[in-house]
Amino acid sequence: MDAMGWIDPDGEFVDICQGLKQRRKREKIRVKSAASDFRLQSGRVPSGQAKAIVIP
């Protein structure tokens, strides 16, 4: 069983409500993600450097 088989990494982004509707029809989807573009690519090792800025 492919746990991530429902994802279409090259598809158009859909919001969660539309995505749930499409999933009920067994369609593959690409949901909007807060932390990444959700392409399921390998992560990057943290550089160990931080950058901070003052927001006016």
Side-chain angles (χ1 to χ4, degrees), residues 13 30-44:
F13 287 113
R30 181 177 179 189
V31 292
K32 291 181 181 176
S33 173
S36 69
D37 69 359
F38 208 69
R39 289 201 174 264
L40 303 175
Q41 296 174 348
S42 60
R44 294 187 180 134

Side-chain angles (χ1 to χ4, degrees), residues 5-54:
W6 59 273
I7 297 172
D8 180 3
D10 297 317
E12 293 293 319
F13 287 113
V14 296
D15 62 36
I16 191 70
C17 294
Q18 180 62 36
L20 291 172
K21 290 176 187 176
Q22 287 179 246
R23 284 302 301 142
R24 276 186 269 176
K25 298 178 189 175
R26 300 258 191 228
E27 296 176 10
K28 291 186 176 191
I29 60 172
R30 181 177 179 189
V31 292
K32 291 181 181 176
S33 173
S36 69
D37 69 359
F38 208 69
R39 289 201 174 264
L40 303 175
Q41 296 174 348
S42 60
R44 294 187 180 134
V45 177
S47 67
Q49 298 177 353
K51 181 178 180 181
I53 62 170
V54 177

